[in-house]
Amino acid sequence: MRKNNLKYFYIISSLIWMGAIFWGSAIADYSVVPGVGEDHNDFLSGTVHILSYAILCFLFIKSFIASDLVKNKAIIYGFILASLYGATDEWHQFFVPGREAHLSDWLLDVVGAFLVFSFYKYATIINVGRKH
């Protein structure tokens, strides 16, 4: 895939993923979601938060890298943007009937983004070490 096409692929993928997160946050009653029902538990919820924002952070970082941003800045901006989106998502849930905003949910979002941030930072350090 050409560099320009890759950039648009990651940007569009980021927007679609943000939309999926927004849609999931707008569900007032999880009993209507197949496979979840009344058994909606904290472990599943926490796992979904962490994975959702790990993927979002990855997509943001790849979008920035494909847009020729310096890799270190792309990693930092991707983490910050994913964390900020998590905060706005919790704020959005505050207005959804039957839902509540929780600081703990946002912290799980940050953990997911931080896992990807850490992976990229570690990989960057390893690659720099190999060049010397």
Side-chain angles (χ1 to χ4, degrees):
M1 208 183 274
R2 289 182 36 226
K3 180 92 169 169
N4 209 27
N5 289 342
L6 201 56
K7 175 176 85 170
Y8 292 118
F9 170 78
Y10 283 118
I11 291 171
I12 291 168
S13 296
S14 297
L15 293 172
I16 290 170
W17 195 251
M18 290 167 69
I21 290 171
F22 185 88
W23 173 79
S25 296
I27 297 173
D29 181 9
Y30 271 99
S31 65
V32 299
V33 178
V36 176
E38 297 294 326
D39 302 3
H40 183 73
N41 65 41
D42 290 338
F43 177 77
L44 177 63
S45 176
T47 303
V48 167
H49 275 273
I50 290 170
L51 289 175
S52 295
Y53 283 87
I55 293 168
L56 185 61
C57 185
F58 169 80
L59 291 171
F60 283 155
I61 290 171
K62 295 299 277 184
S63 296
F64 287 131
I65 291 171
S67 299
D68 294 326
L69 190 64
V70 175
K71 193 170 191 174
N72 251 354
K73 286 185 179 180
I75 295 166
I76 293 167
Y77 292 169
F79 170 72
I80 291 170
L81 197 54
S83 298
L84 287 174
Y85 190 73
T88 63
D89 184 53
E90 287 305 311
W91 181 70
H92 160 245
Q93 285 183 48
F94 181 77
F95 298 101
V96 175
R99 298 293 302 267
E100 299 172 343
H102 294 284
L103 178 63
S104 60
D105 285 347
W106 177 69
L107 292 174
L108 289 170
D109 300 342
V110 173
V111 166
F114 187 75
L115 290 172
V116 174
F117 169 86
S118 299
F119 171 79
Y120 268 99
K121 290 301 273 183
Y122 179 75
T124 301
I125 291 168
I126 295 299
N127 284 337
V128 168
R130 286 183 182 165
K131 290 179 183 177
H132 294 293

